[in-house]
């Protein structure tokens, strides 16, 4: 052995990676450094690589080398009683006939990095799912207090522009004797019933092309023609009002607690706007809303009251009965009507 060979051998022996030279034909080890021997120690020198390195496939390794490609795989050894992940790479030595160089390196750091990446990826995916759930929850909450078109504008631009609607019909509803009912009965039970009733109202107005705008205590407000124009806005609200009254009549016949409501309807111009900064509320303003409120106040329990202008739009498709002239605060003398039924039978 020359001095240069001795220097190279010493350098190889001092490497922190396992290195060996093996015969490709039989996979007998011709040379190995100290680290390789430590990781894949054996007392029998005749043992080949496939007997010393767990997971080594001699046929696959030989085929890969004959194709001019390296052969690599991951395995695990026990060092000082602890498992150690090891990456094994085998490639043919140039100009050395049937000899192959076997390099084995500690891959625990790579495994740790991969574990961290997988953990971060899992955490990121979980956070993304949680964020989407929160977004869905917020969207659901906002859609409970504003129409979808307004929500989409708020989401896209961060604000919603107030709009004037010249053709809209508003429904106002208020329960008779609700305050006395809440005081005399179990408050939690009454509120639970009210919530159930309002939820049914929501389904009804949605079915008839209307939007629930808000509830205040036992008052309920819905509209058609806002924020999306609808040529049938007056008929939509009239049908919703009739269906709400029928729902209450059927509920009262099956429940011990009777709920009687006054309903007012009016067609007129309104302004729709999102109000509030930290707590958003979509609301309607203008004379059209005020008149609907006056119609509700002027109505008898379980009656649907409207003025002459609204009656004019409904007279061909609905049965109306005239109440007579009445002085309406802020609007002077008005000719009022009751909505009785629909001329053409309408069913869900």
């Amino acid at each position: 052995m020359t001095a240069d060979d001795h220097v190279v051998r010493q350098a190889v022996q001092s490497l922190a990676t396992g290195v060996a030279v093996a015969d490709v034909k039989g996979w007998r080890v011709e040379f190995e450094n100290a680290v390789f021997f430590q990781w894949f120690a054996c007392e029998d020198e005749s043992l080949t690589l496939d007997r010393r390195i767990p997971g080594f496939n001699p046929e696959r390794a030989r085929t890969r080398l004959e194709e001019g490609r390296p052969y690599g795989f991951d395995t695990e050894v026990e060092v000082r009683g602890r498992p150690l992940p090891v990456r094994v790479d085998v490639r043919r030595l140039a100009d050395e006939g049937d000899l192959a160089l076997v390099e084995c390196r500690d891959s625990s750091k790579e495994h740790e990095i991969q574990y961290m990446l997988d953990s971060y990826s899992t955490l990121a995916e979980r956070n993304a799912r949680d964020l989407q759930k929160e977004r869905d929850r917020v969207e659901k909450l906002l859609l409970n207090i504003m129409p979808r078109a307004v929500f989409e504008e708020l989401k896209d631009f961060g604000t919603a522009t107030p709009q004037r609607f010249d053709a809209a019909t508003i429904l106002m509803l208020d329960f008779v004797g609700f305050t006395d009912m809440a005081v005399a009965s179990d408050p939690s039970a009454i509120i639970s019933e009210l919530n159930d009733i309002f939820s049914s109202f929501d389904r009804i107005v949605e079915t008839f092309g209307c939007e629930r705008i808000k509830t205040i205590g036992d008052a309920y407000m819905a509209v058609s023609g806002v924020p999306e124009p609808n040529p049938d806005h007056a008929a939509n609200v009239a049908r919703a009002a009739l269906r709400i009254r029928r729902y209450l009549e059927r509920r009262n016949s099956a429940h011990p607690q009777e709920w009687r409501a006054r309903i007012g309807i009016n067609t007129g111009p309104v302004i729709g706007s999102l109000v509030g900064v930290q707590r958003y509320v979509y609301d309607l303003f203008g004379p059209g809303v005020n008149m609907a409120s006056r119609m509700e106040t002027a109505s008898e329990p379980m009656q649907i009251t409207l003025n002459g202008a609204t009656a004019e739009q409904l007279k061909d498709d609905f049965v109306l009965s005239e109440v007579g002239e009445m002085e309406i605060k802020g609007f002077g003398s008005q000719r009022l009507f009751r909505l009785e039924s629909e001329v053409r039978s309408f069913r869900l």
Side-chain angles (χ1 to χ4, degrees):
M1 178 182 295
T2 64
D4 289 341
D5 291 339
H6 180 74
V7 171
V8 171
R9 191 181 187 90
Q10 286 295 107
V12 172
Q13 289 291 357
S14 64
L15 292 175
T17 58
V19 177
V21 176
D23 176 15
V24 176
K25 292 182 178 180
W27 296 112
R28 186 171 59 85
V29 177
E30 302 288 345
F31 167 81
E32 60 187 302
N33 71 351
V35 173
F36 187 92
F37 182 81
Q38 178 189 6
W39 288 351
F40 309 106
C42 70
E43 297 179 359
D44 187 351
E45 295 182 359
S46 66
L47 292 181
T48 56
L49 280 182
D50 57 302
R51 302 286 299 279
R52 296 182 61 178
I53 304 179
F56 186 90
N57 187 323
E59 294 301 325
R60 182 171 177 78
R62 188 177 297 110
T63 300
R64 299 274 293 188
L65 295 183
E66 288 175 354
E67 292 173 351
R69 296 185 295 167
Y71 168 64
F73 64 98
D74 292 298
T75 188
E76 188 175 87
V77 298
E78 188 173 301
V79 178
R80 299 185 184 91
R82 301 181 63 182
L84 178 72
V86 174
R87 175 65 187 180
V88 179
D89 291 299
V90 183
R91 63 177 183 272
R92 189 182 292 274
L93 284 172
D95 303 325
E96 294 296 334
D98 292 326
L99 295 180
L101 177 66
V102 183
E103 294 181 273
C104 307
R105 68 177 186 277
D106 179 356
S107 60
S108 57
K109 291 295 182 183
E110 297 174 12
H111 280 242
E112 290 176 6
I113 293 173
Q114 187 60 48
Y115 175 78
M116 291 176 62
L117 291 174
D118 291 343
S119 298
Y120 287 140
S121 177
T122 301
L123 180 61
E125 290 176 2
R126 185 168 64 248
N127 288 341
R129 289 194 299 269
D130 292 343
L131 180 60
Q132 186 59 48
K133 288 181 180 178
E134 185 64 18
R135 285 175 176 170
D136 293 342
R137 187 184 71 84
V138 171
E139 178 175 338
K140 184 176 180 180
L141 289 173
L142 289 176
L143 288 175
N144 279 331
I145 61 175
M146 67 184 71
R148 177 170 287 277
V150 177
F151 165 75
E152 294 294 342
E153 184 181 0
L154 179 65
K155 183 174 66 173
D156 292 340
F157 303 104
T159 185
T161 306
Q163 290 181 281
R164 176 186 170 91
F165 302 92
D166 292 319
T169 299
I170 305 95
L171 177 150
M172 300 290 288
L173 178 149
D174 188 61
F175 285 106
V176 178
F178 176 78
T179 302
D180 294 336
M181 187 192 310
V183 172
S185 305
D186 178 5
S188 61
I190 290 297
I191 297 303
S192 178
E193 281 196 57
L194 182 63
N195 181 67
D196 181 55
I197 291 171
F198 279 170
S199 296
S200 297
F201 288 179
D202 287 346
R203 290 190 290 270
I204 291 171
V205 299
E206 182 179 355
T207 299
F208 290 98
C210 305
E211 285 273 0
R212 187 256 285 167
I213 297 300
K214 63 181 178 179
T215 62
I216 302 177
D218 62 320
Y220 187 91
M221 177 180 179
V223 67
S224 183
V226 175
E228 300 294 337
N230 191 321
D232 299 323
H233 55 88
N236 289 343
V237 170
R239 292 186 179 111
L242 289 171
R243 183 64 180 84
I244 285 173
R245 184 172 66 180
R246 189 173 71 171
Y247 162 78
L248 288 175
E249 290 170 347
R250 295 176 62 185
R251 180 186 177 89
N252 289 339
S253 66
H255 287 73
Q257 180 65 60
E258 189 175 70
W259 293 79
R260 293 164 57 80
R262 292 187 297 261
I263 302 175
I265 295 176
N266 178 62
T267 299
V270 296
I271 294 174
S273 177
L274 195 64
V275 295
V277 177
Q278 294 181 332
R279 295 184 179 182
Y280 291 118
V281 175
Y282 185 79
D283 209 347
L284 298 180
F285 308 91
V289 177
N290 295 337
M291 177 60 83
S293 178
R294 301 289 189 272
M295 293 299 97
E296 178 268 311
T297 303
S299 184
E300 295 295 326
M302 298 303 284
Q303 297 295 328
I304 304 167
T305 303
L306 43 101
N307 64 0
T310 307
E312 187 65 25
Q313 298 197 37
L314 300 175
K315 66 180 182 179
D316 294 333
D317 298 317
F318 294 85
V319 176
L320 304 172
S321 61
E322 186 171 352
V323 176
E325 294 285 336
M326 185 177 293
E327 192 70 21
I328 302 298
K329 182 180 178 181
F331 294 92
S333 180
Q334 294 285 325
R335 191 178 174 195
L336 303 189
F337 294 80
R338 286 198 186 99
L339 176 64
E340 304 292 352
S341 62
E342 188 174 6
V343 173
R344 296 189 302 271
S345 179
F346 188 90
R347 294 290 183 267
L348 287 173

